Amino acid sequence: MTEPTVGDAVRQARTRLSAAGIEGPDAELLAAWAAGTGLGEIRVDMAMGRSFPADALARFAHGVARREAREPLQRITGLAPFRHVDLRVGPGVFTPRPETELLVDVVLEHVRGTVSPLVLDVGTGTGAVAIALAREAGARVVAVEQSPAAYVWARRNIAELAPGTVLLHADARDVAALAAVGVQPGSLDALVSNPPYVPAASVPADHEVRAFDPHGALYSGADGLDLIRDLAPLAADLVAPGGLVAVEHAEHQSAAVRGMLEDAGFTDARTRVDLTGRDRVTSAVR
């Protein structure tokens, strides 16, 4: 029996996903993943009326069913794009979001012109921010991750994409562990973090976040600011004069975060908005 064409399979999948409330190129991206090719090649296959091989079709059908059940696309394919790289993701690690690229931009602006700046990335997760800063700024990065599950993913991504980065499996508030890898008081050009910042009672409405992102990467106390509250004095101790602290946070938390950084002795605290116009990243200078 003739296998269905790639175009037919993708169009049917697109209809199913749309009925589940999922719009966009997910059907094409899943087809590319199933076939082991790129999005451009799949679109050529669709235009040429080519058939979907049986093994790829079976993989595609399974992937579409998972996506229809609102499993994140990145968890199905095992890859999450972030800036110029694809990061490996899976159970136990927070999937990096496009808005976190702003956090990288803020640090890049500050360290531009600095030779081999020393940066501490707290709660590195997949290693996304650490890898971007190592590759784009030539930074010496120390990435810290406390979660055993997330540490596994960070170790894999860093080994593949930024092997010079130091990865520490520890609590970033363990100053002895930081000192052991060269992070001393006043030594950092920047401390950066995309910490958990969801208030404990604010369960995300989005099923893809609620069901698949690890809770340790989401929640941080009653107001969502417990870890940032601890990071402010830690940064004040570790960041050199003229150095930067930058943290990601929720839209409604910007004023509180600026206040914490100012109380810790930082100056020029300011908040940047993401591409949707929401307050997203606050930074300040030591």
Side-chain angles (χ1 to χ4, degrees):
M1 184 174 69
T2 304
E3 299 296 344
T5 67
V6 174
D8 287 342
V10 167
R11 282 186 286 273
Q12 291 169 11
R14 195 184 291 139
T15 299
R16 285 177 56 186
L17 294 179
S18 180
I22 299 168
E23 305 295 343
D26 288 36
E28 290 91 335
L29 290 167
L30 285 168
W33 162 75
T37 62
L39 185 59
E41 290 92 328
I42 279 296
R43 286 174 172 162
V44 170
D45 290 344
M46 292 174 65
M48 299 294 292
R50 291 172 180 154
S51 296
F52 225 146
D55 56 343
L57 181 62
R59 191 179 188 209
F60 177 61
H62 183 57
V64 170
R66 291 170 65 185
R67 187 69 185 107
E68 190 176 24
R70 302 307 296 253
E71 184 172 350
L73 177 68
Q74 299 92 331
R75 286 286 294 271
I76 299 168
T77 65
L79 293 173
F82 187 82
R83 295 181 73 86
H84 310 300
V85 299
D86 286 328
L87 299 161
R88 298 185 185 276
V89 297
V93 72
F94 182 82
T95 300
R97 309 297 204 261
E99 54 265 30
T100 301
E101 296 193 12
L102 175 62
L103 186 63
V104 175
D105 287 334
V106 169
V107 179
L108 288 175
E109 288 175 12
H110 187 81
V111 302
R112 185 176 291 120
T114 303
V115 178
S116 298
L118 180 61
V119 179
L120 178 66
D121 175 27
V122 176
T124 196
T126 58
V129 171
I131 290 166
L133 292 172
R135 293 170 67 98
E136 297 179 47
R140 295 171 294 138
V141 183
V142 175
V144 184
E145 179 52 59
Q146 186 175 14
S147 161
Y151 175 81
V152 171
W153 293 102
R155 183 175 60 191
R156 184 174 183 182
N157 285 319
I158 286 171
E160 292 179 359
L161 299 168
T165 295
V166 175
L167 176 61
L168 188 61
H169 185 199
D171 187 324
R173 293 161 289 197
D174 184 345
V175 293
L178 294 177
V181 293
V183 177
Q184 304 283 348
S187 66
L188 295 177
D189 293 287
L191 184 150
V192 61
S193 181
N194 177 17
Y197 52 74
V198 177
S202 299
V203 178
D206 189 339
H207 174 75
E208 296 180 19
V209 176
R210 185 177 65 250
F212 293 98
D213 281 324
H215 286 188
L218 295 176
Y219 303 103
S220 188
D223 62 357
L225 294 171
D226 279 3
L227 182 54
I228 297 177
R229 199 170 277 115
D230 287 347
L231 285 182
L234 177 70
D237 182 50
L238 297 177
V239 173
L244 187 80
V245 59
V247 294
E248 182 175 323
H249 52 75
E251 180 180 18
H252 65 279
Q253 295 169 332
S254 53
V257 173
R258 287 194 300 272
M260 290 176 194
L261 296 181
E262 289 167 351
D263 289 345
F266 287 88
T267 62
D268 194 26
R270 60 191 188 121
T271 299
R272 308 285 188 90
V273 299
D274 61 22
L275 292 176
T276 68
R278 295 180 173 90
D279 285 359
R280 183 61 59 189
V281 172
T282 292
S283 65
V285 176
R286 184 76 177 97

